[in-house]
């Protein structure tokens, strides 16, 4: 499985593979052309309630991942195609948050790794 995580504001690279934005909200100030997305699966982002509760507070990271995993468990139709694609090509999970270690793309990558 070939999954990577990258900030959507970073320059696209030739080795990014299939670029998927996994934020529920469009990243502030980013032109769609500059994002160079292959797909935007906004429903894969955490629910509005969970996103607001988390507020990118790293102290809430473990609980955020637990709650987000529960949301993802009920959305297999959204993440299963990404898992299948990652079996044959690189998939780049894109996020807009400033924190590169505590965001939904990192949590989603970990979740997908457990689904193999």
């Amino acid at each position: 499985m070939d999954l990577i995580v990258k900030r959507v504001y970073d320059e696209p690279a030739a080795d990014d593979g299939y670029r998927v934005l996994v934020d529920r909200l469009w990243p502030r100030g980013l032109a769609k052309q500059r994002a160079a997305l292959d797909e935007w699966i906004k429903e894969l982002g955490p629910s509005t309630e969970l996103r607001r509760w988390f507020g990118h507070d790293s102290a809430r990271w473990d609980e955020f991942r637990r709650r987000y995993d529960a949301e993802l468990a009920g959305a297999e139709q959204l993440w299963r195609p990404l898992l299948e694609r990652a079996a044959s090509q690189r998939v780049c999970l894109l996020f807009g948050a400033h924190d590169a270690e505590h965001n939904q793309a990192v949590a989603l990558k970990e979740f997908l790794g457990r689904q193999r």
Side-chain angles (χ1 to χ4, degrees), residues 1-57:
M1 183 172 72
D2 194 1
L3 279 171
I4 62 171
V5 173
K6 187 173 179 179
R7 193 159 187 255
V8 72
Y9 294 101
D10 294 342
E11 281 299 312
D15 65 346
D16 283 349
Y18 191 79
R19 293 172 50 89
V20 181
L21 179 63
V22 293
D23 279 3
R24 196 166 284 269
L25 303 175
W26 185 259
R28 224 176 254 162
L30 183 68
K32 292 194 182 206
Q33 186 174 4
R34 182 169 178 264
L37 299 181
D38 291 299
E39 189 171 6
W40 177 21
I41 310 175
K42 58 179 107 177
E43 298 83 6
L44 262 181
S47 66
T48 300
E49 297 78 19
L50 180 55
R51 181 178 49 80
R52 288 182 178 156
W53 173 84
F54 177 48
H56 298 287
D57 180 350

Side-chain angles (χ1 to χ4, degrees), residues 77-98:
Q77 75 282 4
L78 296 172
W79 56 259
R80 178 65 61 188
L82 286 181
L83 194 60
E84 291 168 1
R85 183 179 293 274
S88 61
Q89 78 175 105
R90 173 170 281 176
V91 173
C92 182
L93 303 174
L94 299 163
F95 65 93
H98 291 287

